[in-house]
Amino acid sequence: MKTSGNTILMTGGGSGIGEALAHRFHDRGDTVIIAGRRREALEKAAAGRERIHIRTLDVEDATDVAAFAAAIVADFPALNVLFNNAGIMKYEDLSGRRDLGDAEATVEINVLGPIRLTNALIDHLVTQPDAVVVTVTSGLAYVPLVVAPTYSASKAAIHSYTVSLRTQLQGKVEVIELAPPGVQTDLTPGQAHRPGYMPLAAFADAVAAQFLQQPTPHEILVDEVQFLRQAEREGRFDETLKTLTERAAQQRAAG
C-alpha cells in the first residue's frame, strides 16, 4: 500500500477505529471518504479536514450498497483503497430459544456488508494502480468471545474470506487483514472506558505505523492481539479460551 496519496473509502468511519484511522491516513496525505449510517457522526469526524469527505451508507442494505458504489466511483475515480471496517457486536445467550434479530443483523453487516461492497467495487479496483482491499476482522476470529458468538463467527468468516480474496486477486489487488484486539471504543456498552482494553489512540498509532511498512504486511497485528492470534499455533487454545471467557465476565461485572 502506498504510504501517501491514496484515495481511501473507510466504512464505519464516523466513530471508533474507523474515525481514528481515517484521521491518521488524512494526516499522512491521503484523501479519505468516510461512510456510515449516521450523517451527524460523519460530519463531526470530518470537521476541519478538507480531504475527508462524507457519504451515508447502510451496508445492511444490498440495494444501497450497489447504488453507493456506483456513485463513489463516479465522484472519486481515483479511489484505490477499500477499507471494510463497519461492524456491530452484540452479546447473545444461546442457552434457550431466542429472537435471532441480533444474530441476523450481525451477519448482514459484518459478513455480507464487506462481501457486497468489495464485489460492487472490484471491477473498478482492478483497474487502479496500487489498489488495496483491507478487511477488519478481530482477535476474536481466532479465539471466540463466547458471549458474542455470532460476532466472533462473523470475524472468523471474514478472515477465511480474506485468505481466498488475497489468493484470487494476487498480482491485481493487494489484500490486507487488520485484526484488532479489544480496543476502547463504543462497540459495546462500557467498552470505551473498560480497563484492559487498548486505548484507541495507541491502537490507531500502532496500526498507522504498520501501514507505513514497505511492503505492507498482509496481516496488521498489534502486540496486544498476539495472545489471541497465536493461541492455536502455540498449542494453548483451550487455556486462552478459558482465560478470555473469565476475564470478559469480570470486566462486564465491573462495568
Side-chain angles (χ1 to χ4, degrees):
M1 182 172 171
K2 292 192 301 183
T3 57
S4 66
N6 298 289
T7 300
I8 301 172
L9 171 60
M10 175 77 68
T11 66
S15 63
I17 288 173
E19 178 185 10
L21 292 180
H23 289 174
R24 298 307 187 280
F25 290 132
H26 177 268
D27 288 343
R28 74 181 200 177
D30 293 320
T31 295
V32 186
I33 308 108
I34 55 174
R37 288 184 288 191
R38 297 180 296 129
R39 187 172 186 87
E40 182 179 353
L42 296 171
E43 290 174 345
K44 184 178 179 181
R49 293 174 176 270
E50 63 180 13
R51 290 188 319 280
I52 292 187
H53 308 269
I54 66 173
R55 294 291 187 276
T56 56
L57 168 66
D58 182 0
V59 298
E60 199 172 359
D61 184 331
T63 301
D64 189 30
V65 168
F68 170 87
I72 283 293
V73 170
D75 292 344
F76 300 94
L79 176 70
N80 70 305
V81 180
L82 168 60
F83 215 113
N84 285 304
N85 170 71
I88 62 170
M89 181 177 183
K90 301 292 184 181
Y91 297 139
E92 301 168 82
D93 182 356
L94 307 184
S95 62
R97 186 180 176 89
R98 63 200 172 96
D99 179 273
L100 290 178
D102 284 345
E104 291 168 350
T106 299
V107 172
E108 283 281 347
I109 294 170
N110 294 9
V111 180
L112 291 178
I115 290 174
R116 285 170 175 156
L117 188 55
T118 302
N119 179 65
L121 290 171
I122 196 62
D123 286 346
H124 169 76
L125 290 172
V126 296
T127 69
Q128 298 302 299
D130 303 301
V132 182
V133 173
V134 181
T135 58
V136 178
T137 59
S138 170
L140 302 180
Y142 306 98
V143 181
L145 181 63
V146 297
V147 295
T150 306
Y151 175 86
S152 301
S154 74
K155 295 304 184 178
I158 291 300
H159 163 68
S160 177
Y161 190 83
T162 301
V163 173
S164 297
L165 186 68
R166 180 182 298 125
T167 303
Q168 290 198 25
L169 294 179
Q170 187 173 3
K172 299 177 181 178
V173 178
E174 186 176 4
V175 178
I176 298 169
E177 177 181 355
L178 167 59
V183 179
Q184 289 179 336
T185 70
D186 292 319
L187 184 63
T188 62
Q191 184 172 320
H193 306 287
R194 190 168 293 153
Y197 280 54
M198 188 173 184
L200 177 58
F203 171 75
D205 288 343
V207 168
Q210 290 195 41
F211 270 105
L212 288 173
Q213 295 178 24
Q214 294 294 303
T216 311
H218 284 166
E219 289 188 346
I220 303 293
L221 304 169
V222 299
D223 291 343
E224 288 79 356
V225 81
Q226 297 289 359
F227 170 69
L228 299 175
R229 178 66 180 96
Q230 308 303 336
E232 187 166 11
R233 180 180 301 171
E234 295 174 358
R236 52 178 177 80
F237 179 89
D238 290 344
E239 174 190 347
T240 302
L241 178 63
K242 181 175 184 293
T243 299
L244 178 64
T245 303
E246 293 174 349
R247 182 187 299 169
Q250 293 168 357
Q251 290 169 335
R252 291 195 308 280

